Amino acid sequence: MTIMPSDPPSPTPSPRPSPHRAHTTPSASTPRSALSPAQAIAQAWLRESAEAQQQWRRADIHAKDQYLNPIRWDTGLRSEKKKFGAKM
């Protein structure tokens, strides 16, 4: 193939993104790979502001309340069998 001066240059392939995350500098005390999930969560919690920690606590209380006290829909269409349980 002859390249003429008027031909545009062929596009160079762009470097493919790495499937791995870019490594950031781990904390000086513990390498990131040595942290357990619980330790990573504890460190992230310490980085949260006091206001953010309060918001998380309120959200946790709200989620717990919703789980322990779900909304019970009453359609008024319960049959007598289901009302008193199954026959044995």
Side-chain angles (χ1 to χ4, degrees):
M1 174 176 161
T2 305
I3 298 178
M4 301 297 287
S6 62
D7 288 343
S10 63
T12 58
S14 62
R16 295 178 70 193
S18 172
H20 304 288
R21 291 183 181 178
H23 293 285
T24 58
T25 306
S27 68
S29 62
T30 309
R32 189 170 288 211
S33 61
L35 290 177
S36 72
Q39 290 169 326
I41 291 169
Q43 283 186 359
W45 179 254
L46 292 175
R47 289 191 301 266
E48 291 282 349
S49 68
E51 181 181 331
Q53 287 182 4
Q54 284 296 82
Q55 289 175 342
W56 280 112
R57 287 184 182 109
R58 283 192 298 269
D60 189 44
I61 290 169
H62 180 70
K64 181 180 175 182
D65 287 342
Q66 283 187 320
Y67 180 78
L68 294 176
N69 303 310
I71 296 172
R72 306 258 185 222
W73 295 97
D74 183 17
T75 60
L77 300 175
R78 297 181 75 168
S79 67
E80 290 297 315
K81 267 188 187 177
K82 288 187 179 183
K83 188 174 181 180
F84 296 111
K87 287 185 178 181
M88 296 262 179

